[in-house]
Amino acid sequence: MVDKGRIQYALMDLTSLDRQEYYNGFANRALWPTMHYRVGLSDFSRADYAGYLRVNHTFASALAKLVCPSDLVWVHDYHLIPLAAALRALGLTNAIGYFHHIPWPAPEVLGTLPGSTDLLRSIMDFNLVGVQTDRDADNLRRGLIQELGAIPQKSDLDLDGESTCVKSFPIGIDVSGFEQVAARARSNRIVSQTIVGLGSRKLIIGVDRLDYSKGIPEKMEAYERFLVNNPDQRGRVTFLQIAPTSRSEVPEYGALSRAVNETLGRINGSLGEPGWVPIQYVTSTYPRPVLAGLYRLAPVALVTPMRDGMNLVAKEYVAAQDPTDPGVLILSKFAGAAQQLTGALIVNPNDKLEVAEAIHDALQMSHEERVTRWQGMIGPLQDHDVSWWAAAFLRELAGQKARAAG
Ligand code: ADQ
């Protein structure tokens, strides 16, 4: 047990076989790509799936010893879909909720993954399942109805006497925290060095974990198209892509890293000039004040994932802007955030010309339009911040419990 402030953490070790089969294997090589509609990258193995179930049972055995009868249990993300079923098998009757942070795909897509019917069945062991958007909720409900024969009620689904509620709870961020650190960030060393380095150039920023779902090589190529189509902009803009390495033990991520480096080298080599590098690329992680400061410096953010549950970077960028001179968010229609951030320039990341034109439009946008678009986004973000999200989910879960008890 580890105490940190008001939170007590119970930690346990995994073996290297667990890590390989459960985390790098089924969770990140089979479930992650399938849920992001990349079925061609999904690599299913029975050994990995057995490891995934085994580790969930191990977590359940440890957790069952710690849970009190009145506790609400809130499970997070795709690594733990079978956890409620494993806890129920140990006799737990508590209200158990699940939040799915990544997209829930259409049943036709999820159905390509062996074991997916079992996963759907274990979803029914949660009292409440939260997803990011109404589209995800619709996909999950359709899957439960079509694959299992669940009976739809108002917001619940019934199967064999069990009832599960599926609902969207779009995750928020710490909006006021971002606003405050962004306003003070110019004094930070990295931010002030960036200001000096930019001179009169305009900054376009991208911040994404190095993951194929984030569309990093694709956005570099869209930016290349923008520079080719608008030669007068060469030397006047800099694209800073921050992409911390992730899941480096999974082979597809090594391949992505090589693809990004190749695209970056080709674009900087062919379009760069002495004194100007078109794309700056860094893989470091930064503390929040640095990220917030860099967001605020950038008149344009390029957030163009091929598919994303929500995308917090889009929300962080909006929260970090100067209200009197806000930047423009270019956002993929395939990010859950696009359902809420309607003041962004919404693009299809597969259409490089469309993204290139959005970069051009964002850089030319009038002050009046920038302010109007930003004002339309910041209010709803403040009203639906991360505290709202957690409270809304837990209130609903407690209600489910009351209903089950009554
Ligand atoms: P992620 O796929 O990790 O999250 P995202 O929502 O963008 O994607 O969150 C990334 C977080 O990491 C942001 O808070 C960002 O600030 C931070 N970050 C990125 N680069 C960083 C860097 N170099 N240094 C420090 N911090 C950095 C998953 C789902 C998303 C969903 C979230 C939350 O894939 O769709 O929005 O969970 O539910």
Side-chain angles (χ1 to χ4, degrees):
M1 285 286 193
V2 180
D3 284 316
K4 273 197 183 167
R6 288 158 51 217
I7 300 179
Q8 201 175 38
Y9 293 84
L11 306 174
M12 58 182 294
D13 292 325
L14 295 182
T15 65
S16 60
L17 185 69
D18 289 340
R19 184 176 167 80
Q20 190 188 315
E21 292 178 343
Y22 159 73
Y23 183 75
N24 290 329
F26 187 73
N28 284 328
R29 279 198 93 185
L31 261 184
W32 175 273
T34 305
M35 294 217 152
H36 286 85
Y37 289 74
R38 299 294 294 271
V39 292
L41 290 180
S42 183
D43 188 12
F44 174 82
S45 105
R46 286 201 186 278
D48 288 349
Y49 185 50
Y52 177 77
L53 296 176
R54 181 182 68 245
V55 171
N56 270 277
H57 279 94
T58 309
F59 285 146
S61 306
L63 186 60
K65 295 186 189 107
L66 302 173
V67 174
C68 300
S70 61
D71 285 344
L72 296 176
V73 180
W74 190 3
V75 176
H76 285 263
D77 230 358
Y78 60 101
H79 316 84
L80 299 170
I81 294 173
L83 190 65
L87 288 167
R88 300 289 185 219
L90 294 170
L92 238 80
T93 56
N94 298 58
I96 309 180
Y98 170 71
F99 189 77
H100 188 74
H101 288 256
I102 65 176
W104 195 285
E108 296 74 15
V109 173
L110 187 63
T112 61
L113 180 68
S116 60
T117 309
D118 291 343
L119 290 178
L120 283 170
R121 221 170 263 125
S122 49
I123 278 286
M124 293 299 303
D125 281 296
F126 291 102
N127 298 84
L128 174 63
V129 177
V131 288
Q132 301 276 23
T133 66
D134 289 343
R135 184 172 47 201
D136 298 309
D138 185 51
N139 285 340
L140 174 52
R141 290 170 66 82
R142 283 200 299 127
L144 293 167
I145 294 165
Q146 289 173 21
E147 302 294 322
L148 303 185
I151 314 286
Q153 303 295 342
K154 218 163 154 203
S155 62
D156 292 353
L157 289 132
D158 292 351
L159 183 71
D160 302 333
E162 305 276 2
S163 187
T164 297
C165 175
V166 174
K167 222 174 150 179
S168 66
F169 295 86
I171 194 168
I173 60 160
D174 173 12
V175 178
S176 62
F178 257 94
E179 287 170 340
Q180 282 164 25
V181 287
R184 292 196 301 262
R186 285 179 94 86
S187 58
N188 177 280
R189 183 183 59 82
I190 294 175
V191 177
S192 57
Q193 278 175 357
T194 309
I195 295 172
V196 173
L198 279 170
S200 59
R201 286 184 188 124
K202 288 187 171 175
L203 179 64
I204 299 171
I205 195 165
V207 177
D208 309 86
R209 247 180 343 90
L210 187 56
D211 192 296
Y212 49 80
S213 66
K214 304 292 184 185
I216 298 169
E218 292 85 353
K219 78 165 119 168
M220 287 180 170
E221 285 172 356
Y223 171 71
E224 175 186 30
R225 181 75 65 94
F226 160 76
L227 292 175
V228 169
N229 291 358
N230 299 277
D232 60 309
Q233 290 297 310
R234 295 189 199 171
R236 294 190 174 172
V237 291
T238 292
F239 174 26
L240 169 62
Q241 175 64 52
I242 301 175
T245 310
S246 72
R247 304 177 193 166
S248 49
E249 293 166 35
V250 178
E252 287 74 21
Y253 289 74
L256 172 70
S257 176
R258 289 189 290 280
V260 168
N261 285 324
E262 213 176 290
T263 307
L264 174 75
R266 182 179 59 69
I267 297 171
N268 280 344
S270 65
L271 295 175
E273 292 158 10
W276 177 58
V277 180
I279 306 177
Q280 287 189 3
Y281 179 65
V282 293
T283 57
S284 316
T285 54
Y286 295 103
R288 183 195 277 189
V290 173
L291 273 189
L294 294 174
Y295 289 142
R296 194 167 172 115
L297 281 187
V300 180
L302 257 187
V303 183
T304 52
M306 311 313 279
R307 194 68 68 167
D308 218 330
M310 178 53 63
N311 195 294
L312 298 182
V313 169
K315 293 188 170 182
E316 292 165 1
Y317 176 76
V318 172
Q321 294 309 295
D322 176 351
T324 64
D325 189 19
V328 181
L329 173 65
I330 298 175
L331 180 60
S332 162
K333 65 194 282 192
F334 302 119
Q339 307 294 313
Q340 294 174 294
L341 299 177
T342 49
L345 296 180
I346 305 290
V347 294
N348 180 344
N350 298 297
D351 186 343
K352 296 192 180 100
L353 181 59
E354 186 187 18
V355 178
E357 288 174 352
I359 297 173
H360 173 269
D361 293 350
L363 288 166
Q364 305 304 322
M365 194 179 284
S366 70
H367 177 261
E368 190 188 356
E369 183 174 352
R370 283 188 283 117
V371 171
T372 306
R373 284 177 176 271
W374 179 80
Q375 284 176 344
M377 296 191 281
I378 191 70
L381 269 194
Q382 285 163 335
D383 293 343
H384 297 93
D385 68 358
V386 69
S387 305
W388 165 86
W389 169 78
F393 187 96
L394 290 171
R395 201 180 320 112
E396 183 80 32
L397 182 58
Q400 294 293 324
K401 185 187 178 186
R403 198 179 324 165

